Amino acid sequence: MKGNVSFDRIEIREYEQILGDNPSVTSGPPLSLGWNYYPKHHVFDVEVYEENKKIYPGRTRSEMQLSRRLRERILKRNWQVPREEMIAMSMEVKRIQKQRIASIKNNVAFEITLDMLNNTKRMVAKHLLPLYSSSDERLMEKRIKSAILNTSKLIEEPKKAKFTRQRSFDQEFKTIWNCKTNAAA
């Protein structure tokens, strides 16, 4: 069973503007919409509204962006937001922006390190490990596998281990390898 939906009018409400917390602003306090709206709203016939949209197109993205000064003026004059609150929110927005940048940088570097680790594991397993045949060589194979496994765990779980991302896979592998060979000796 198909139903039809139709609209005969459009109602447009105007909401209050408040000090926001969106970190997408380049500087100054962000502006957001509050929950309160003016009781008087505009009502248009759908057909008339659509025809007017063709004659008077909406604003472009750049036309909708408000400068820092204009946002501050709106908050201060229209909504009596104290300057101290605007400054505090601007500082909070900068802190959030710095966190996001750091998160992106750390995540990308960590993914690159994991990719390198996985590639190294495949290469070692494919080219080095099958060559050993004697019992001493099998012991060497176990040591290499163990060192790779331990290094993988350190890299994949940096919070649980004493591993810093500044060290490379090779440095971690050598450290673990030296511990294993010294313990076997």
Side-chain angles (χ1 to χ4, degrees), residues 17-56:
Q17 295 172 319
I18 61 170
L19 180 62
D21 60 357
N22 187 337
S24 66
V25 296
T26 54
S27 67
L31 196 59
S32 294
L33 294 179
W35 289 102
N36 299 323
Y37 58 90
Y38 297 108
K40 182 181 176 186
H41 44 279
H42 308 282
V43 180
F44 299 97
D45 179 66
V46 171
E47 300 298 325
V48 172
Y49 181 81
E50 289 299 321
E51 284 300 316
N52 282 331
K53 266 179 50 176
K54 293 175 187 172
I55 299 169
Y56 307 106

Side-chain angles (χ1 to χ4, degrees), residues 3-17:
N4 291 330
V5 177
S6 62
F7 299 95
D8 65 338
R9 62 187 179 144
I10 294 176
E11 295 183 25
I12 300 176
R13 290 183 183 168
E14 289 185 44
Y15 284 81
E16 68 178 338
Q17 295 172 319

Side-chain angles (χ1 to χ4, degrees), residues 52-150:
N52 282 331
K53 266 179 50 176
K54 293 175 187 172
I55 299 169
Y56 307 106
R59 294 181 290 173
T60 65
R61 184 180 182 113
S62 62
E63 290 172 332
M64 289 195 288
Q65 291 178 338
L66 303 176
S67 70
R68 173 188 181 156
R69 290 179 192 254
L70 182 55
R71 282 183 272 126
E72 287 174 348
R73 200 174 312 136
I74 290 170
L75 288 169
K76 186 171 180 130
R77 290 186 184 161
N78 296 0
W79 306 106
Q80 292 76 41
V81 175
R83 182 104 176 111
E84 295 80 24
E85 283 184 39
M86 287 190 263
I87 291 170
M89 186 51 71
S90 296
M91 291 171 63
E92 176 67 13
V93 163
K94 283 183 184 177
R95 186 187 64 76
I96 293 170
Q97 289 171 340
K98 286 180 184 177
Q99 282 179 335
R100 287 185 176 185
I101 290 169
S103 175
I104 290 168
K105 285 182 180 178
N106 286 340
N107 194 24
V108 169
F110 190 62
E111 286 180 22
I112 290 170
T113 303
L114 284 179
D115 286 345
M116 288 172 41
L117 170 67
N118 289 330
N119 290 341
T120 304
K121 283 179 9 183
R122 280 192 296 273
M123 288 176 53
V124 168
K126 183 177 178 182
H127 297 292
L128 295 178
L129 298 182
L131 301 176
Y132 301 117
S133 59
S134 71
S135 62
D136 288 339
E137 290 170 338
R138 279 190 219 115
L139 181 61
M140 178 74 76
E141 179 180 337
K142 285 182 182 180
R143 286 184 189 160
I144 291 173
K145 281 184 177 179
S146 176
I148 290 173
L149 181 65
N150 289 337

